[in-house]
Amino acid sequence: MADADATIGWDNRDFKRGAREATKTLNKFEGGFSKSFKSIGKLAGPALAVGGIAKWGSAIFEGTLRLEELTVSLKTVSDGTESLDDQLTALRKTARLPGLGFEEAIEGSVRLQAAGLSAQQSREAIEQFGNALASAGKGKADLDGVILALTQIAAKGKISAEEINQIAERVPQIRAVMKEAFGTAVAEDIQKLGVSAEEFISKTIDALG
């Protein structure tokens, strides 16, 4: 199981090949950088100053590069149970959650899959914890914290009070959810039951749902 804090790497040839594939895939979903830029140019009209157009173009370009990087990362960590296209289609639906964007959905999936979760488990974790956070009036930054705690649980292979507290700070209802799923909200008691990290994450996601 990968270390949650490990950096995903690939050699230049793999990166270039992956980047080309990622660009093709993103063009399918986003319509391509050129098309987007032309569309914005039509909307902007002649009233926009040259400097304003340059800023728009720069933002689009940086956003496109970021999406390419995330898509290559997603392809790298995927276990092959779902195609890249299928994952991106599903993550676009996940991104409809309040306060969550397409980039954030991909990044969250990359982090969780790198820690050992499947593509589907990663999506379900983002969706269920995202909904729980939204109902508690929390946002994107809190979801980042929850994903970090989940990746730490997955990477360590055990449930500890430290990660549970990290999640509880952001998702107040998590202890009630744990009691429903395991009969207790105490990390040590859950460990004594022989619950694995994978089982803990899976059952917690189901209970949230």
Side-chain angles (χ1 to χ4, degrees):
M1 185 173 292
D3 190 317
D5 295 324
T7 301
I8 302 168
W10 49 82
D11 63 31
N12 288 334
R13 287 176 298 178
D14 286 341
F15 179 80
K16 290 177 181 177
R17 181 167 57 252
R20 285 194 296 270
E21 293 179 11
T23 301
K24 290 178 184 177
T25 301
L26 284 169
N27 284 343
K28 177 180 178 181
F29 288 94
E30 301 297 334
F33 168 69
S34 297
K35 183 177 179 181
S36 298
F37 186 74
K38 288 177 183 177
S39 297
I40 287 177
K42 290 178 182 178
L43 289 172
L48 275 179
V50 173
I53 295 174
K55 288 180 181 179
W56 275 90
S58 177
I60 297 169
F61 183 67
E62 289 176 4
T64 301
L65 285 180
R66 177 61 177 156
L67 279 173
E68 286 183 1
E69 291 171 356
L70 287 171
T71 305
V72 172
S73 297
L74 185 64
K75 181 178 177 63
T76 302
V77 301
S78 294
D79 61 5
T81 56
E82 295 182 16
S83 71
L84 184 61
D85 282 0
D86 286 344
Q87 288 192 62
L88 289 171
T89 298
L91 286 169
R92 179 168 289 283
K93 294 177 182 178
T94 300
R96 295 173 185 169
L97 287 170
L100 188 66
F102 191 34
E103 288 186 20
E104 290 79 14
I106 299 175
E107 185 175 8
S109 184
V110 168
R111 291 166 62 188
L112 290 167
Q113 288 191 63
L117 276 68
S118 68
Q120 183 175 345
Q121 280 181 316
S122 299
R123 254 189 336 269
E124 289 174 349
I126 294 168
E127 291 171 2
Q128 299 303 335
F129 277 101
N131 284 327
L133 287 164
S135 68
K138 304 295 182 70
K140 187 164 53 179
D142 296 292
L143 182 58
D144 286 342
V146 169
I147 290 175
L148 175 59
L150 292 176
T151 58
Q152 288 172 335
I153 289 171
K156 291 177 180 178
K158 66 178 184 178
I159 306 99
S160 68
E162 181 181 358
E163 280 76 41
I164 299 303
N165 289 336
Q166 287 178 27
I167 296 173
E169 287 175 4
R170 298 165 173 84
V171 186
Q173 61 268 51
I174 192 62
R175 297 196 187 280
V177 169
M178 289 168 61
K179 285 182 180 178
E180 178 184 337
F182 309 104
T184 177
V186 179
E188 290 182 0
D189 292 342
I190 294 175
Q191 286 188 57
K192 289 176 182 177
L193 293 173
V195 177
S196 67
E198 183 179 357
E199 184 182 0
F200 172 79
I201 293 172
S202 177
K203 286 190 173 181
T204 302
I205 291 170
D206 289 344
L208 280 170

